Amino acid sequence: MLISNFYLSILAYFIGAYLKKFTQQIKLPSIKQLLGVSFLIYLLDLLSITILSFAGISFGHAAHFVTDNLAILLGISVFCIFLQLNIPPIKIINLTASTVFASYLITEQPLVRSMLWSKIVNAARFQNSFLLPIYGIVIVALIFVVCSLIDLCRQQIFGFIFTLFHRTPK
């Protein structure tokens, strides 16, 4: 792989930060156009996987082939949609959003990743079952909640340590 997932995630954060900072100066497409682009990217993703599977490439390898660039484009498109929605600040959303990157880092840490997906989740046992989509949604939600709780605890611990070392003398 020429570009690692880490660099792609850093690239995505830089693009998101740029779009967020310069939203007023950039003429974004309309929400309808962005929804159309998102749908087309998703269809291209599915079409690529299907064509590669007909070419004899397994689903796992075909899915990894299209996840990088198309996922970045789809993420940018969806991010631009949310930029235009003007959602007012909601405390629970902001709290949850503060844990998303940490959740990603926890699940992508090499030791955790192999153990989590191979031994704990082991979705292969549901591969040909109608329960796979339900299992996938439940597992992803559960992993996110657990990782978010871990990060919230980390935030509290670091906040406590920060206040200990940065007290103003009386």
Side-chain angles (χ1 to χ4, degrees):
M1 174 183 269
L2 294 174
I3 301 174
S4 74
N5 288 337
F6 176 74
Y7 292 117
L8 283 173
S9 64
I10 297 299
L11 174 65
Y13 274 92
F14 276 118
I15 291 170
Y18 179 84
L19 289 172
K20 180 70 174 154
K21 182 170 181 157
F22 297 106
T23 301
Q24 303 303 323
Q25 292 89 349
I26 299 172
K27 170 93 172 81
L28 293 175
S30 70
I31 291 179
K32 284 183 182 180
Q33 290 171 326
L34 288 167
L35 285 171
V37 167
S38 298
F39 183 71
L40 287 174
I41 292 170
Y42 181 69
L43 285 179
L44 181 62
D45 194 14
L46 292 178
L47 181 65
S48 300
I49 292 171
T50 304
I51 290 171
L52 289 171
S53 67
F54 280 127
I57 298 172
S58 71
F59 174 77
H61 288 92
H64 286 294
F65 173 76
V66 297
T67 56
D68 296 340
N69 299 323
L70 291 176
I72 291 288
L73 291 175
L74 184 59
I76 291 168
S77 180
V78 171
F79 185 75
C80 288
I81 290 170
F82 279 94
L83 278 177
Q84 295 184 32
L85 290 180
N86 295 324
I87 300 170
I90 300 171
K91 190 173 183 175
I92 189 72
I93 290 177
N94 291 339
L95 182 67
T96 304
S98 73
T99 66
V100 171
F101 189 58
S103 297
Y104 167 75
L105 292 176
I106 291 169
T107 57
E108 287 299 310
Q109 202 280 336
L111 295 174
V112 173
R113 183 180 190 177
S114 62
M115 181 182 64
L116 176 66
W117 298 111
S118 301
K119 295 183 174 53
I120 297 171
V121 172
N122 191 13
R125 60 186 166 185
F126 293 100
Q127 186 171 355
N128 296 319
S129 171
F130 71 94
L131 294 174
L132 181 62
I134 297 167
Y135 182 72
I137 291 169
V138 169
I139 287 299
V140 167
L142 187 62
I143 290 170
F144 180 72
V145 167
V146 169
C147 290
S148 293
L149 290 173
I150 291 169
D151 189 54
L152 288 171
C153 290
R154 181 204 56 83
Q155 290 176 19
Q156 293 296 314
I157 292 167
F158 278 61
F160 177 73
I161 292 170
F162 184 77
T163 56
L164 281 178
F165 288 107
H166 290 90
R167 287 187 182 165
T168 55
K170 294 182 182 180

